[in-house]
Amino acid sequence: MRPEAAARQLRVEITRGARLEVPADVLLAFAYGGSPAEETDPSRPVMTGLSVADGAPALELWRVAAPVAAGTENDVRYAAGNGLLSGVIELEEARFGGISDAAEAAYSRMGEFLARRPERHLLRVWNFLDAINAGDGDNERYRQFCSGRARGLGDQPAERLPAATAVGRPVASGRLQLCWLSGSEPGVPVENPRQVRAYRYPRQYGPSPPSFARAMRLPTGELFGSGTSSIVGHESRHEGDLASQVLETLQNLRELHRAGGGLGVPQGVKVYLRDALNALEVERQVGEGLSTAVAPLVIATDICRRELLVEIECLWS
Ligand code: 3EB
């Protein structure tokens, strides 16, 4: 199939307001603020524990052009439709003695679940964890998470790693959340020519390099962009200078989109911002830089390297 002839089957929408109702064609819904739905509602949103910088609740909806069927199996809550599947695993860290073993358990349970499903090809994951920067050096919780994730993925070849986001949660919950989208056909991982592959970062960033691809292209043409920051090569750039970090990140996103074929427009743009006080200025910079019709959603939270002030993700479709 020629990529420009692709039939898109996935889009992402961000809605604002207190109502957390989820339409029937939603594969995966993330809630930022608002009150949780009944535990018995199979299509209830993932309560991320993250909030939007302006304080109003938001819902992020990943929609397919078909009704979805939801269910639960052991620790996995899932929904499937149109050859795509979403899954959510939430684990109490304390039950596993810490973030590292909780991450290993979450990833190995995901792998066991996927092996039984037609939609077994991992495309995109989100990891939400408490206090991501707590602990020093190799004991930093993000680095511990990376080690557990690598063990849980087992011998998965690097060229099958999904696009990803890993961010902190500002208020402790005691839980690790692993959320994913997978498909019955594999995607094509895309790397950014300006950046070292994350899974080949040198030792200085921790004992296990982060297991993710910079982006993932679906057979239907959409491109999932991973959380993207002010990193060139493997080094963080513009320490202490937020405006320059935003510009560098936008440059990385442009290169990534080009490397992925340059199709589609950015949707569901999300900005993770360390300091909420800068939200309006960053929202303006990002809206201008990506020329999106819809304002980006700015989420105030911590990011995996202490010197990074901002991380941006979107879907091109
Ligand atoms: C980076 O480029 C910034 O560990 O899954 C971005 C997206 C980042 C995903 C992950 C980390 C992850 O290294 C951090």
Side-chain angles (χ1 to χ4, degrees):
M1 193 190 331
R2 295 179 321 153
E4 54 272 37
R8 309 281 151 74
Q9 60 175 2
L10 185 64
R11 63 205 162 88
V12 56
E13 272 172 28
I14 290 168
T15 65
R16 304 302 308 275
R19 280 177 57 226
L20 298 186
E21 255 159 65
V22 176
D25 65 350
V26 170
L27 198 58
L28 179 60
F30 292 110
Y32 306 99
S35 36
E38 289 293 322
E39 286 251 348
T40 51
D41 176 0
S43 64
R44 68 190 183 278
V46 177
M47 300 309 294
T48 61
L50 299 172
S51 348
V52 184
D54 65 19
L59 254 195
E60 177 185 346
L61 304 175
W62 289 79
R63 307 181 75 164
V64 289
V68 304
T72 53
E73 197 180 304
N74 304 324
D75 291 314
V76 181
R77 189 154 72 80
Y78 67 92
N82 245 12
L84 293 168
L85 178 141
S86 73
V88 180
I89 297 179
E90 305 191 38
L91 298 181
E92 291 287 336
E93 272 186 43
R95 275 176 50 213
F96 301 88
I99 183 71
S100 184
D101 286 354
E104 179 179 358
Y107 273 81
S108 65
R109 288 169 196 201
M110 172 177 69
E112 287 158 18
F113 175 84
L114 289 176
R116 295 191 297 270
R117 292 290 312 193
E119 305 92 344
R120 64 176 44 119
H121 302 282
L122 198 52
L123 301 168
R124 201 342 173 166
V125 307
W126 291 264
N127 306 279
F128 303 120
L129 50 147
D130 291 350
I132 193 165
N133 300 129
D136 288 321
D138 287 348
N139 290 321
E140 187 179 31
R141 280 171 49 82
Y142 172 65
R143 296 184 182 193
Q144 294 284 314
F145 162 81
C146 285
S147 297
R149 169 171 60 180
R151 290 195 306 277
L153 283 164
D155 50 12
Q156 180 104 290
E159 56 280 5
R160 292 225 213 103
L161 292 172
T165 294
V167 291
R169 202 186 276 113
V171 180
S173 68
R175 288 174 305 147
L176 169 67
Q177 285 172 318
L178 167 60
C179 313
W180 76 82
L181 293 171
S182 58
S184 50
E185 303 289 334
V188 177
V190 174
E191 289 296 323
N192 186 339
R194 301 182 84 226
Q195 297 185 305
V196 170
R197 291 160 193 259
Y199 51 84
R200 291 196 196 142
Y201 279 169
R203 175 65 180 84
Q204 73 203 76
Y205 302 102
S208 304
S211 318
F212 71 98
R214 298 291 177 191
M216 181 68 83
R217 201 173 60 221
L218 270 67
T220 42
E222 301 91 334
L223 183 69
F224 288 106
S226 290
T228 301
S229 279
S230 176
I231 295 175
V232 180
H234 57 74
E235 284 169 349
S236 305
R237 290 284 171 92
H238 316 294
E239 194 166 340
D241 178 351
L242 175 62
S244 299
Q245 287 200 13
V246 172
L247 291 177
E248 198 72 71
T249 302
L250 290 169
Q251 186 61 28
N252 277 331
L253 286 167
R254 275 189 289 273
E255 278 294 320
L256 187 59
H257 182 223
R258 195 200 326 261
L263 301 168
V265 294
Q267 295 188 33
V269 179
K270 259 164 40 216
V271 180
Y272 301 100
L273 185 63
R274 206 178 270 280
D275 187 348
L277 286 178
N278 303 306
L280 280 179
E281 176 56 16
V282 170
E283 183 181 315
R284 190 196 59 74
Q285 245 189 317
V286 172
E288 211 172 271
L290 289 179
S291 51
T292 52
V294 186
L297 191 70
V298 182
I299 291 166
T301 198
D302 294 338
I303 296 147
C304 63
R305 289 188 192 176
R306 288 173 195 191
E307 68 278 12
L308 293 176
L309 303 172
V310 65
E311 183 175 312
I312 305 174
E313 68 183 47
C314 66
L315 172 80
W316 285 277
S317 178

